[in-house]
């Protein structure tokens, strides 16, 4: 048996003990079987030696005419009369003197690579069968373990690993997770390794990993979503539901926690509390740890919070409003567990912005420069059905793009979310007809390219100045340059608008979880709610009346007073303390009983 080399040592330990040696032997000489010393190796599944030689001679005779017809190679290279592929025999014959060895030189690494991939697949199956899903997951990710297997490596570098669990059911959960990561990296640098993971899609088996994909369908069918949302509200329903679900996905979540090895677990999703805390507790008990890693929930709903947000097993539960805090108390959480800081918003919203006039001048230069703007407008105009008026529309659109937001004119920011949803075009048309150019409108269309093309090529009969953009990453600057915002009742956008000091006109909402945000805005005197575009235009016209300037300014001041720009930094400061204190305790073994120590 060949002595193990450094290359063999690099093969994961979860492989069967014979596979590393076989893998390396097969790469060197084509031998894939273990055999006692002093005996000739036999290829697995190979015919007897005599029959194999006969097959090889027959093969050579069939290829002889083609080799004879091929042109001779240059001097110094192997002749084409020799065999083109060296096949090791059962007796281990060496290649013929005239045969080329260059082919073997560059195919040997490929043989090693392909056999390593196959061995990893076999080892993953064996690991899942004999060592449980944790071993199978570790090997399935080998050698690409930089993301999952970072707990031990991070600890060796003096880092603590913070695992942030979210799910792509709406954009708010991911936005909050990214805000926490940005704030942690800004405040603490490389002290913490922050990993954001969609636990449902990445670490649960089918069909459970498809649950996030059903969210959009359910939300589009309001009655169906309302039934699903309210059905699992009572604890008497969702606790047994989570217990049954734990039996299906608990082992997979435990394998994920073994791979990430976190010092702190943070959840920004309502369905990621009850099962993970149970899995972490069982994992710590099996390892003999003093306690499981600390667990924190960051509630990302503003007011109408689902009861599954509140799990009594968490160490901390961060809530954005006093209303949510009262809900947590009713669900059995203590005042020590509940912490009111606000909604975690991207740290850029806590930075001081230039004056409004300077922002409007800055927003004239849209990303990509003048050439890219002209190309974008040209493509948008070419999609229009009336090419005869293309020149006039192109001139008007180019002029609006050059002007950007005008100074000294009230600016209305109309946001359609990441997908550009809602009656945006109808709302702009009603605003143009009602305001007659006394205010300008900036429309953020998101990924809705069809809507963007229509707005860019539209002539506004009321003479309104309309600026349309697609997806933007500087929404904080657009809010800072505007005077009011029209948007749906998403908690993240509301929190950003409050920080920016904008009066808010809500024009829609997702059923159930966003319904409570409407009275929050209206009762605090920072905005109103209306869905019909003509009535939206009437409300905006009333807000912007010259004789209503004092009331409008007071509404903006109340909005700024409700904003919590430092909430994300306050949350990450508490998270850092949890990771340092309770995270260190989770790494220590459990204290032995007094009797085991020989005490009285």
């Amino acid at each position: 048996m060949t002595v193990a080399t450094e290359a063999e040592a690099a093969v994961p330990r979860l492989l069967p003990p014979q596979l590393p040696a076989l893998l390396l032997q097969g790469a060197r000489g084509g031998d894939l079987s273990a055999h006692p010393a002093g005996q000739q190796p036999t290829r697995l599944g190979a015919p007897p030696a005599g029959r194999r030689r006969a097959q090889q001679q027959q093969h050579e005779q069939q290829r002889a005419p083609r080799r004879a017809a091929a042109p001779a190679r240059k001097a110094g290279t192997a002749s084409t009369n020799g065999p083109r592929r060296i096949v090791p025999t059962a007796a281990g014959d060496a290649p013929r003197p005239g045969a080329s060895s260059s082919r073997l030189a560059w195919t040997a690494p490929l043989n090693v690579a392909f056999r390593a991939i196959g061995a990893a697949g076999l080892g993953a199956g064996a690991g899942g069968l004999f060592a449980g899903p944790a071993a199978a997951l570790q090997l399935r990710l080998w050698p690409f373990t930089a993301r999952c297997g970072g707990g031990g490596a991070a600890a060796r570098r003096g880092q603590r690993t913070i695992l942030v669990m979210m799910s792509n059911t709406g954009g708010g959960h991911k936005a909050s997770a990214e805000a926490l990561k940005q704030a942690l990296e800004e405040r603490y640098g490389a002290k913490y390794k922050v990993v954001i993971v969609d636990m449902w899609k990445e670490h649960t088996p089918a069909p459970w990993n498809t649950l996030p994909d059903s969210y959009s369908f359910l939300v589009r069918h309001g009655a169906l979503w309302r039934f699903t949302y309210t059905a699992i509200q009572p604890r008497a329903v969702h606790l047994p539901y989570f217990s049954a679900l734990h039996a299906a996905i608990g082992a997979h979540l435990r394998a994920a926690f073994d791979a990430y090895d976190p010092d702190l677990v943070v959840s920004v999703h309502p369905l990621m509390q009850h099962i993970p805390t149970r899995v972490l507790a069982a994992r710590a008990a099996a390892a003999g740890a003093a306690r499981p890693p600390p667990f924190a929930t960051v509630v990302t709903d503003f007011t109408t919070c689902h009861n599954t947000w509140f799990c009594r097993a968490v160490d901390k539960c961060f809530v954005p409003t006093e209303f949510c805090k009262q809900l947590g108390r009713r669900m059995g959480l203590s005042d020590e567990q509940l912490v009111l800081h606000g909604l975690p918003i991207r740290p850029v919203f806590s930075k001081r912005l230039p004056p409004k006039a300077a922002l409007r001048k800055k927003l004239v230069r849209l990303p990509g420069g003048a050439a890219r703007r002209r190309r974008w407008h040209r493509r948008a105009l070419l999609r229009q059905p009336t090419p005869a008026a293309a020149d006039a529309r192109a001139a008007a659109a180019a002029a609006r793009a050059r002007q950007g937001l005008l100074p000294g004119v009230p600016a209305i920011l109309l946001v359609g979310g990441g997908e550009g949803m809602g009656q945006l075009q109808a709302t702009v048309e009603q605003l143009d007809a009602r305001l007659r150019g006394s205010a300008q409108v900036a429309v953020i269309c998101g990924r809705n390219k069809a809507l963007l093309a229509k707005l860019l090529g539209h002539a506004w009969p009321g003479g309104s100045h309309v600026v349309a953009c697609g997806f933007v990453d500087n929404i904080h600057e657009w809010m800072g340059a505007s005077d009011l915002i029209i948007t749906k009742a998403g908690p993240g956008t509301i929190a950003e608008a409050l920080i920016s000091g904008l009066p808010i006109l809500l024009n829609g909402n997702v059923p159930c979880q966003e319904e409570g945000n409407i009275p929050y805005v209206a009762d605090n005197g920072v905005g109103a709610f209306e869905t019909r575009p003509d009535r939206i235009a009437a409300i905006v016209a009333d807000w912007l009346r010259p004789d209503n300037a004092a009331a409008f300014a007071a509404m903006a001041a109340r909005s700024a007073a409700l904003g919590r720009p430092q909430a994300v930094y306050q949350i990450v400061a508490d998270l850092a303390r949890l990771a340092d204190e309770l995270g260190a305790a989770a790494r220590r073994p459990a204290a032995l009983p007094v009797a085991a120590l020989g005490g009285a």
Side-chain angles (χ1 to χ4, degrees):
M1 184 68 67
T2 306
V3 179
T5 63
E6 293 183 0
E8 293 176 355
V11 180
R13 293 182 180 178
L14 292 177
L15 292 171
Q18 296 87 355
L19 274 182
L22 299 183
L23 181 64
L24 272 298
Q25 287 180 4
R28 289 192 291 267
D31 177 22
L32 297 181
S33 63
H35 53 275
Q39 295 184 11
Q40 295 295 336
T42 302
R43 292 178 58 87
L44 296 179
R51 188 191 307 173
R52 185 164 57 252
R53 290 195 185 95
Q55 292 175 352
Q56 185 176 358
Q57 291 174 1
Q58 182 181 2
H59 179 70
E60 292 294 333
Q61 292 175 0
Q62 293 174 353
R63 297 177 62 94
R66 283 179 290 176
R67 288 200 303 270
R73 297 182 179 176
K74 295 182 180 179
T77 62
S79 172
T80 56
N81 294 328
R84 298 184 62 186
R85 179 178 300 173
I86 304 300
V87 181
T89 63
D93 296 337
R96 293 184 178 88
S100 172
S101 61
S102 61
R103 185 178 183 88
L104 287 178
W106 68 267
T107 56
L110 290 179
N111 291 337
V112 174
F114 290 136
R115 285 167 178 150
I117 293 172
L122 291 173
L129 182 62
F130 299 110
L137 177 67
Q138 290 279 7
L139 189 56
R140 178 175 65 84
L141 297 171
W142 175 82
F144 310 104
T145 55
R147 184 183 180 203
C148 279
R156 289 192 296 270
R157 293 192 300 268
Q159 285 183 310
R160 294 193 184 277
T161 301
I162 298 179
L163 180 64
V164 183
M165 302 187 302
M166 63 91 187
S167 184
N168 271 321
T169 51
H173 304 295
K174 184 177 181 180
S176 296
E178 291 175 345
L180 293 172
K181 181 176 181 179
Q182 292 172 12
L184 280 164
E185 292 174 347
E186 179 182 324
R187 281 291 173 92
Y188 301 101
K191 181 180 179 181
Y192 302 102
K193 178 183 177 181
V194 184
V195 181
I196 299 175
V197 59
D198 188 335
M199 293 295 287
W200 279 108
K201 288 191 72 69
E202 299 181 35
H203 295 291
T204 61
W208 314 110
N209 57 358
T210 62
L211 287 179
D213 300 330
S214 64
Y215 174 77
S216 297
F217 171 80
L218 292 173
V219 168
R220 287 195 302 269
H221 300 78
L224 187 58
W225 171 244
R226 189 176 298 278
F227 171 78
T228 305
Y229 185 92
T230 56
I232 60 172
Q233 275 276 31
R235 288 179 62 90
V237 175
H238 67 245
L239 289 182
Y241 169 74
F242 285 137
S243 296
L245 198 56
H246 174 269
I249 69 173
H252 297 267
L253 293 185
R254 178 168 179 173
F257 289 132
D258 288 341
Y260 292 112
D261 193 22
D263 297 276
L264 170 66
V265 180
V266 181
S267 169
V268 294
H269 194 272
L271 299 183
M272 280 282 104
Q273 273 74 235
H274 294 77
I275 301 177
T277 52
R278 184 173 174 178
V279 170
L280 288 169
R283 175 176 174 266
R291 55 155 296 147
F295 194 102
T297 298
V298 179
V299 179
T300 60
D301 286 331
F302 222 51
T303 53
T304 314
C305 301
H306 198 274
N307 288 340
T308 54
W309 275 113
F310 305 106
C311 175
R312 298 172 184 176
V314 304
D315 294 284
K316 294 292 180 183
C317 181
F318 298 95
V319 293
T321 59
E322 182 63 31
F323 184 82
C324 289
K325 190 173 183 179
Q326 296 300 328
L327 286 178
R329 284 178 179 148
R330 289 202 292 269
M331 292 301 296
L333 272 69
S334 65
D335 289 338
E336 184 181 354
Q337 291 173 297
L338 293 166
V339 182
L340 172 58
H341 286 319
L343 201 69
I345 299 300
R346 288 180 297 162
V348 69
F349 275 90
S350 65
K351 307 297 188 291
R352 183 181 296 275
L353 289 174
K356 189 170 293 187
L359 278 176
R360 292 185 179 183
K361 182 181 292 187
K362 177 182 178 181
L363 293 174
V364 172
R365 302 179 182 87
L366 299 178
R372 182 176 174 182
R373 283 202 305 273
R374 285 194 295 270
R375 288 196 303 270
W376 179 262
H377 293 310
R378 192 180 303 118
R379 293 186 191 124
L381 291 167
L382 287 175
R383 299 189 186 101
Q384 300 306 307
T386 55
D391 293 338
R393 288 197 303 272
R400 286 195 296 272
R402 285 194 299 270
Q403 290 174 345
L405 290 178
L406 303 176
V409 180
I412 305 165
L413 182 61
L414 181 56
V415 178
E419 304 300 328
M421 300 173 64
Q423 304 181 67
L424 297 187
Q425 184 175 357
T427 302
V428 178
E429 292 172 350
Q430 291 295 328
L431 289 171
D432 173 63
R434 188 69 180 242
L435 298 175
R436 310 297 298 179
S438 62
Q440 56 188 329
V441 183
V443 188
I444 308 298
C445 301
R447 301 179 186 88
N448 194 333
K449 295 182 179 180
L451 173 63
L452 178 60
K454 291 180 181 179
L455 294 178
L456 289 175
H458 192 80
W460 306 101
S464 297
H465 177 66
V466 178
V467 178
C469 295
F471 189 85
V472 299
D473 57 3
N474 62 336
I475 190 65
H476 62 289
E477 294 181 335
W478 286 96
M479 287 188 180
S482 303
D483 295 283
L484 65 94
I485 185 172
I486 303 174
T487 182
K488 79 178 194 70
T493 307
I494 292 176
E496 293 169 353
L498 293 176
I499 294 173
S500 303
L502 294 179
I504 306 168
L505 181 49
L506 302 176
N507 62 352
N509 66 282
V510 174
C512 300
Q513 68 261 36
E514 290 183 0
E515 291 174 347
N517 300 341
I518 298 170
Y520 179 84
V521 168
D523 295 347
N524 283 286
V526 297
F529 173 76
E530 182 55 64
T531 58
R532 287 180 48 178
D534 57 337
R535 293 181 180 176
I536 290 174
I539 293 173
V540 171
D542 181 66
W543 283 359
L544 297 179
R545 284 197 341 258
D547 59 344
N548 205 22
F552 186 72
M555 188 186 306
R558 289 192 294 269
S559 179
L562 279 179
R564 295 176 178 266
Q566 299 299 319
V568 66
Y569 294 112
Q570 295 168 345
I571 293 173
V572 300
D574 289 348
L575 293 179
R577 281 193 292 271
L578 285 175
D580 291 342
E581 298 172 4
L582 298 184
R587 298 286 180 185
R588 293 194 294 266
L592 294 175
V594 176
L597 297 175

